Amino acid sequence: MVNRDFLTLEGVSREELRTILDLSRDYAAGLSEERPLSGRTVCLAFFESSTRTAASFELAARRAGADVVSLSQKGSSLSKGESLVDTVVTLDRLGADALVLRHPAAGAASLAARHTGAAVVNAGDGCGQHPTQALLDLYALAESWGGFDELDGRRVAVVGDILHSRVARSVIPAFRAAGMEVSLVAPRTLLPREVEASWGLPVLGSVDDAVAWGAEALYALRLQRERMTGARVPSVAEYAAYYGVAERHLGPGMRVLHPGPVNRGVEISGDVVLDGRSLVPDQVSAGLSVRSAVLTLATGARQEIPA
Ligand code: ASP
């Protein structure tokens, strides 16, 4: 059995994505009935708030047959001052096959992975990475267009608070590895320095500009106020005017995504969240199949990802 960590999507290849999405599709078609994770133990350690990711991982692990242990900051010895590394070593000795970790510090999942033989799945580390979110986004988008190969050459605009977004840092390399063209739509105050240095992506000034650029999908990010150290936008109303996705942006065939939780009327107008072209509910459903697939590959319970 070979464990494999899922820490980042930086450097992910097209073939790796295809393998994960193929297995996710098998899960969507009923693979969980075979309970491939039977006899494996998955530990969920969520040390930062989560609604859909925590629930989704728990259901995904249970449906695939795993035993599940859940820890949170409040109920665990971390609240008594135990270090993350000591907590990880304890879970390792209890026999966890996979450790799903959410933590407020970027790099926490990589640190954990150095101290356990369990496969570490990063469920969001500060402003770092959120790989399974990006995988489920890709899955939902691919399914809406008829399959993985349909992503190739399509244009997607990633809109909003890119600076503080671990989702952006995962979804951008995933889109690019799938062959998509990516543009960024954000005020300069919400763009990281890497944009100029290494990403080499076009930066547009508004969602209207993204539509004019030919975007076929708009990926709206939440304004991460809890991670902002000062005012980054003049006002929410002004932000929404340039960076909010609204009815007027939804030409025929446009796809709208958001990782949730949505600030309605800020990142996406309320009517659009419920519009048939919004993939937000599909993203949530995709999370179950994709996370079952990731846990299966991470624990070596099924085929290996090609090197
Ligand atoms: N739920 C996603 C995350 O945990 C997106 C967000 O919170 O804005 O990163």
Side-chain angles (χ1 to χ4, degrees):
M1 183 182 95
V2 182
N3 280 340
R4 187 196 156 110
D5 299 321
F6 277 74
L7 304 176
T8 178
L9 288 185
E10 275 300 340
V12 72
S13 72
R14 184 175 170 80
E15 285 319 303
E16 285 172 319
L17 290 176
R18 189 194 295 281
T19 301
I20 299 164
L21 267 53
D22 281 352
L23 188 58
S24 305
R25 195 168 302 106
D26 291 347
Y27 267 107
L31 173 61
S32 44
E33 282 151 33
E34 291 175 27
R35 306 180 68 78
L37 290 177
S38 170
R40 319 266 165 162
T41 302
V42 173
C43 178
L44 307 178
F46 276 70
F47 301 136
E48 195 190 56
S49 317
S50 171
T51 305
R52 68 214 85 221
T53 306
S56 173
F57 264 113
E58 178 157 0
L59 283 169
R62 285 191 198 284
R63 281 187 184 182
D67 295 324
V68 178
V69 181
S70 293
L71 290 183
S72 63
Q73 164 95 32
K74 217 166 153 217
S76 74
S77 288
L78 275 182
S79 66
K80 298 182 186 167
E82 183 169 67
S83 75
L84 175 64
V85 169
D86 289 342
T87 304
V88 166
V89 170
T90 301
L91 295 170
D92 183 67
R93 291 308 168 98
L94 288 173
D97 295 293
L99 169 63
V100 179
L101 181 69
R102 168 163 293 193
H103 197 279
S110 314
L111 176 67
R114 291 205 289 277
H115 294 277
T116 176
V120 176
V121 178
N122 184 359
D125 60 329
C127 296
Q129 284 275 324
H130 195 350
T132 60
Q133 174 70 49
L135 293 169
L136 70 88
D137 298 330
L138 211 58
Y139 181 87
L141 205 46
E143 290 300 299
S144 86
W145 278 325
F148 182 67
D149 288 323
E150 294 301 314
L151 298 167
D152 197 28
R154 303 253 195 187
R155 291 191 155 191
V156 57
V158 179
V159 185
D161 186 357
I162 294 162
L163 179 64
H164 300 103
S165 177
R166 56 194 175 206
V167 174
R169 286 181 182 76
S170 288
V171 90
I172 291 169
F175 286 152
R176 295 177 91 182
M180 299 185 75
E181 283 185 51
V182 181
S183 69
L184 307 177
V185 183
R188 290 272 160 197
T189 49
L190 291 177
L191 280 173
R193 275 196 228 120
E194 304 95 275
V195 169
E196 271 89 11
S198 61
W199 289 6
L201 298 174
V203 177
L204 309 174
S206 67
V207 178
D208 292 312
D209 290 349
V211 173
W213 172 74
E216 297 165 83
L218 300 169
Y219 193 106
L221 297 165
R222 185 174 63 86
L223 268 185
Q224 312 254 315
R225 284 182 251 224
E226 76 278 20
R227 301 192 209 282
M228 292 185 192
T229 45
R232 297 271 175 172
V233 291
S235 73
V236 168
E238 191 160 344
Y239 177 88
Y242 290 93
Y243 308 106
V245 176
E247 175 64 36
R248 72 178 185 282
H249 301 122
L250 303 190
M254 180 65 90
R255 305 292 197 269
V256 179
L257 298 98
H258 190 298
V262 178
N263 290 308
R264 278 168 174 262
V266 180
E267 298 109 21
I268 307 189
S269 68
D271 46 340
V272 171
V273 180
L274 295 176
D275 188 286
R277 287 160 289 187
S278 153
L279 292 182
V280 174
D282 297 349
Q283 290 172 268
V284 178
S285 331
L288 286 175
S289 315
V290 167
R291 288 181 171 122
S292 293
V294 165
L295 289 170
T296 304
L297 294 166
T299 56
R302 203 85 179 192
Q303 76 225 54
E304 271 300 292
I305 296 183

